[in-house]
Amino acid sequence: VVKLNHTDRERFARIALSFVAEPGDPVLGALLRACGPAEAFAAVCDGRPPESVGTSGGDGIPRLGRAIERWAARLDAVPTESRLAAWERAGIRLLCPGDPEWPTQLDVLSDVRPLVLWLRGSADLRFACLRSVSIVGARAATGYGQHVATEMAAALAERGFCVISGGAFGVDAAAHRGALGADGVTVAVLAGGLSYGYPKGHHELFAAIAGQGVLVSEWPPDRAPTRPGFLVRNRVIAALSCGTVVVEAAVRSGALSTARHARDLCRPLMAVPGPVTSDMSEGCHEIIREWGAVCVTRAQDVIEHVSPVGEGLGTRRRGPAYPRDSLDVESTAVLEAVPARAGAGPAVIAAAAGVDLDTAIRCLGALAAAGFVERCPRGWRIRKNV
Amino acid sequence: VVKLNHTDRERFARIALSFVAEPGDPVLGALLRACGPAEAFAAVCDGRPPESVGTSGGDGIPRLGRAIERWAARLDAVPTESRLAAWERAGIRLLCPGDPEWPTQLDVLSDVRPLVLWLRGSADLRFACLRSVSIVGARAATGYGQHVATEMAAALAERGFCVISGGAFGVDAAAHRGALGADGVTVAVLAGGLSYGYPKGHHELFAAIAGQGVLVSEWPPDRAPTRPGFLVRNRVIAALSCGTVVVEAAVRSGALSTARHARDLCRPLMAVPGPVTSDMSEGCHEIIREWGAVCVTRAQDVIEHVSPVGEGLGTRRRGPAYPRDSLDVESTAVLEAVPARAGAGPAVIAAAAGVDLDTAIRCLGALAAAGFVERCPRGWRIRKNV
């Protein structure tokens, strides 16, 4: 049975909220930052904002009142314990922030961090993503794009990298197949529920991924995907991985939204060039030229530009995980500046550490991914198990 | 008859030296900087370094003694007036620095600036190169590379850009044909003499280029090309043009030597991507990734990254050529710091202008290309006709 411990009101509230709100809703993210899941869910049940938060003015959250009405109207979507248990019996497990398998690198998503994650498959998500590359691209990939995605994923898998992608036809599927064929671990982040399993044509591929890797979704298992959901999902692909490679993308391809997230999160962004006579490579060439994406042609190029989570923090090391003395000067300064319990926002931490805001945010993301710090209502705090 | 005015000893000496020394010889460049062509040629005739220069020690030119012996041994290559006149009757004209058609942007080549240039064709070299792009690439180009070179050259020609390339099969020929087909002006810089006309298979292409553009060589007209000559020639292609595009190049392609010159001269360097499965695009991808070459896919991308000579100096302007008041602040400061007659070296000019050395060199190159300044024995001086 899903660990729906009744004393764990926070966890229950978080799960319930994940059924009434859409993933990536920044209003809910702001509300959670202001008051935590239990109070937020209580507010939804009451149909009005918590007294401590307010709906407008200097400290208020814009559009909160209407959002709460919207969520309250969907309260009947909150599942019973038996429904949750049925999903668990079907092999679908539920992750919340703070769980050992939770990938803390998602914390850089801040207000749009997933509320929960649904998982199906044998791999440990957190461990798999520590050394991972997203390979994304067009559904309508050419033979060239599929060939390159397959070969690159296989070569990365052979070098111990987990391949992360969506679940679509084209480049996504080719990347998963390449990694699976090389006995690699692969993570498919879906934009609909895991029982729904969109697209249906990938039933067997998803089964193979579950056997050797893990399927991931922010949406309740039986939820059908929606068009905006694919774009919302892309931030998770970018944030989970140590770097993103775009294999083929037309200039308006959804794969470029994943690329944009990778860029905005300061994760390595790469693109595979192709014939200039092919529309399907135009997006790749554009992000190489305009966004500074690195032009990569083979797995080795990718590996040179990707730092597995934690490794970028200091000198290469072997031995016990994440010792503080392996950190570089900036990361150490930022870590020293993070309050132990109450937490603080990035600007406060940056000032205390004597670094600029961008550096602080980058270090906090890396420190979170390496397990030193974690998000909390007021920003970032030291993670207890360090 | 070639203007071999006997009172013009400097010009005669320069022409004579161009028959005894190989193009791009930095020892001769240093000698010319130290004492000018007339004294340098007199020294070759004497078989020993000029007294004013010396062969070793602090102020001496390394290896000068042996170089003079080598040049002296070839004095019988110096042509008679009737031989020069025969070439002129054959439509081959001779350019020396200071001639109106001399492309002053070559002055950035400093000690390896061509001694003279031989030209055949209807176009004015200096004028053509003011708005020009080099398109270079592999002899063993694929159909893809030839297609891209042809299309890009045609599109650049249609937009009023002169196309500069070598005379080889593959990308060079495709670029010339594309530009010629669009009624454009094209410049072929050959690595052997213009009467020799290597490769022979391009006899008709060279005739077409001469009809619509101009053929250029540093080598005496009847000289056969040598293998090292092609690499020496590449600096001229890079220096003549406002930017260089590599269309297809294997990782050890000679086209990358042109690219390296463009980079070292701080001229815009661009490359056309191709399938990562093609060896012939590997060099392009490498310089995009490693050298920061701009990834260009069509003529418009190229035009956005190329500043026609002079235009980069200030705000866009119409009207009389090169008025001083169109210059930007740095170029104006550098120009003010250039001595009128005696000349000065870049470091002195940089100090006087209050800019760093790189900026001074960049501004001097642009100012030279725009006709404001010229090289002189002591460095740079104001050009008289400004």
Side-chain angles (χ1 to χ4, degrees):
Chain A
V1 186
V2 172
K3 287 173 193 148
L4 196 62
N5 187 331
H6 280 285
T7 63
D8 192 348
R9 286 179 61 228
E10 298 268 316
R11 187 179 180 90
F12 170 78
R14 179 175 284 278
I15 294 167
L17 286 168
S18 79
F19 280 81
V20 302
E22 279 300 308
D25 186 330
V27 179
L28 181 54
L31 179 61
L32 289 178
R33 185 154 44 83
C35 71
E39 200 180 336
F41 184 58
V44 174
C45 294
D46 288 352
R48 57 195 160 91
E51 305 232 331
S52 64
V53 175
T55 52
S56 62
D59 291 340
I61 299 168
R63 298 184 306 277
L64 178 59
R66 249 180 293 170
I68 286 190
E69 285 174 29
R70 197 168 64 240
W71 301 327
R74 290 175 70 179
L75 273 171
D76 55 2
V78 175
T80 60
E81 271 196 61
S82 68
R83 216 164 134 229
L84 289 172
W87 282 322
E88 200 189 13
R89 281 194 303 276
I92 296 174
R93 61 190 187 274
L94 184 56
L95 276 193
C96 286
D99 289 349
E101 196 182 347
W102 181 264
T104 46
Q105 59 268 43
L106 291 183
D107 294 352
V108 298
L109 291 172
S110 190
D111 277 1
V112 294
R113 183 178 71 165
L115 278 173
V116 301
L117 289 176
W118 299 87
L119 267 61
R120 182 160 76 88
S122 60
D124 180 286
L125 179 64
R126 179 178 160 76
F127 183 76
C129 295
L130 288 178
R131 191 177 162 86
S132 64
V133 173
S134 298
I135 297 182
V136 299
R139 254 187 297 275
T142 66
Y144 169 74
Q146 295 191 40
H147 169 78
V148 171
T150 306
E151 295 291 311
M152 186 170 275
L156 286 168
E158 277 164 9
R159 286 163 180 78
F161 279 81
C162 166
V163 169
I164 303 178
S165 193
F169 293 106
V171 167
D172 290 10
H176 289 300
R177 291 202 171 101
L180 292 170
D183 291 327
V185 172
T186 157
V187 172
V189 186
L190 305 187
L194 296 183
S195 319
Y196 190 90
Y198 178 88
K200 297 293 178 196
H202 276 165
H203 184 78
E204 281 178 33
L205 176 63
F206 292 159
I209 293 171
Q212 214 165 304
V214 62
L215 296 158
V216 181
S217 175
E218 301 175 71
W219 280 267
D222 51 3
R223 206 62 70 77
T226 62
R227 187 181 287 270
F230 288 97
L231 293 175
V232 169
R233 178 274 317 262
N234 289 342
R235 79 197 193 291
V236 176
I237 294 180
L240 274 180
S241 62
C242 308
T244 295
V245 179
V246 183
V247 168
E248 268 196 333
V251 282
R252 297 186 180 283
S253 167
L256 295 188
S257 100
T258 313
R260 195 174 292 111
H261 285 297
R263 183 192 63 176
D264 294 348
L265 296 171
C266 300
R267 298 286 170 83
L269 174 60
M270 295 152 279
V272 176
V276 299
T277 46
S278 163
D279 290 347
M280 296 313 295
S281 287
E282 244 183 275
C284 293
H285 299 148
E286 187 171 284
I287 67 174
I288 290 171
R289 190 174 51 244
E290 308 291 341
W291 301 6
V294 176
C295 173
V296 292
T297 60
R298 45 193 188 138
Q300 191 54 43
D301 295 340
V302 175
I303 291 169
E304 281 169 16
H305 284 92
V306 165
S307 295
V309 169
E311 285 188 19
L313 290 169
T315 50
R316 197 165 295 275
R317 65 201 142 62
R318 306 260 173 238
Y322 317 127
R324 278 190 181 224
D325 54 11
S326 74
L327 298 177
D328 65 23
V329 177
E330 282 179 343
S331 299
T332 304
V334 170
L335 182 57
E336 296 293 335
V338 177
R341 290 200 193 83
V348 171
I349 293 169
V355 300
D356 62 43
L357 185 58
D358 282 347
T359 304
I361 291 170
R362 180 172 54 73
C363 291
L364 285 167
L367 289 165
F372 286 104
V373 302
E374 63 187 0
R375 299 277 313 177
C376 65
R378 295 188 52 191
W380 298 86
R381 68 182 167 208
I382 298 296
R383 213 175 168 205
K384 280 174 207 136
N385 61 351
V386 175
Chain B
V1 185
V2 172
K3 287 173 195 148
L4 196 62
N5 187 333
H6 280 284
T7 63
D8 192 348
R9 286 179 61 227
E10 298 268 316
R11 188 179 180 89
F12 170 78
R14 179 176 284 278
I15 294 168
L17 286 168
S18 78
F19 280 80
V20 301
E22 279 299 307
D25 186 331
V27 179
L28 181 54
L31 180 61
L32 289 178
R33 184 154 44 83
C35 70
E39 199 179 337
F41 184 59
V44 174
C45 294
D46 288 351
R48 57 197 160 90
E51 307 233 331
S52 64
V53 174
T55 51
S56 60
D59 290 342
I61 298 167
R63 298 185 304 279
L64 178 60
R66 249 180 296 172
I68 286 190
E69 285 173 30
R70 199 167 62 240
W71 302 328
R74 292 175 71 178
L75 273 171
D76 56 0
V78 177
T80 60
E81 272 198 61
S82 69
R83 218 163 133 227
L84 289 171
W87 282 322
E88 201 190 14
R89 281 194 304 276
I92 296 174
R93 62 190 185 275
L94 184 56
L95 276 194
C96 287
D99 288 348
E101 196 183 347
W102 182 264
T104 46
Q105 60 268 44
L106 291 183
D107 294 352
V108 298
L109 291 172
S110 190
D111 277 1
V112 294
R113 183 178 72 163
L115 277 173
V116 301
L117 289 176
W118 298 89
L119 267 62
R120 181 159 77 87
S122 59
D124 180 286
L125 179 65
R126 179 178 159 77
F127 183 76
C129 294
L130 288 178
R131 190 176 164 88
S132 65
V133 173
S134 299
I135 297 182
V136 298
R139 253 187 298 274
T142 66
Y144 169 73
Q146 295 190 39
H147 169 78
V148 172
T150 306
E151 294 292 310
M152 187 171 275
L156 286 169
E158 277 164 9
R159 286 164 181 77
F161 279 83
C162 165
V163 169
I164 302 177
S165 193
F169 293 107
V171 167
D172 290 10
H176 289 301
R177 291 202 171 101
L180 292 170
D183 291 326
V185 172
T186 157
V187 172
V189 185
L190 305 188
L194 296 183
S195 319
Y196 191 90
Y198 178 88
K200 297 292 178 197
H202 276 165
H203 183 78
E204 280 177 34
L205 176 63
F206 293 159
I209 293 171
Q212 215 165 305
V214 62
L215 297 158
V216 181
S217 175
E218 299 175 73
W219 280 267
D222 52 2
R223 205 62 70 79
T226 61
R227 188 182 286 270
F230 289 97
L231 294 175
V232 168
R233 179 272 320 260
N234 289 340
R235 79 196 193 293
V236 176
I237 294 179
L240 273 180
S241 63
C242 308
T244 295
V245 178
V246 183
V247 169
E248 267 195 334
V251 282
R252 297 185 181 283
S253 167
L256 295 189
S257 100
T258 313
R260 194 174 294 111
H261 285 297
R263 183 191 63 176
D264 294 348
L265 295 172
C266 300
R267 299 285 169 83
L269 174 60
M270 296 152 278
V272 177
V276 299
T277 46
S278 163
D279 291 347
M280 297 313 296
S281 287
E282 244 183 273
C284 294
H285 299 147
E286 187 172 283
I287 67 173
I288 291 171
R289 190 173 53 245
E290 309 291 342
W291 300 7
V294 176
C295 173
V296 292
T297 60
R298 43 192 189 139
Q300 192 52 44
D301 295 340
V302 175
I303 291 170
E304 281 169 16
H305 284 92
V306 165
S307 295
V309 169
E311 286 190 17
L313 290 170
T315 50
R316 198 165 293 276
R317 64 201 144 61
R318 304 261 174 237
Y322 318 127
R324 280 192 180 221
D325 55 10
S326 75
L327 298 177
D328 65 23
V329 178
E330 282 178 343
S331 301
T332 304
V334 169
L335 182 58
E336 296 293 334
V338 177
R341 290 200 192 82
V348 172
I349 293 169
V355 301
D356 62 44
L357 185 59
D358 282 348
T359 304
I361 291 169
R362 180 172 52 73
C363 291
L364 285 167
L367 289 165
F372 286 104
V373 302
E374 63 187 357
R375 298 276 314 176
C376 65
R378 295 188 54 187
W380 297 87
R381 68 180 168 209
I382 298 295
R383 212 172 170 208
K384 280 176 207 133
N385 62 351
V386 175

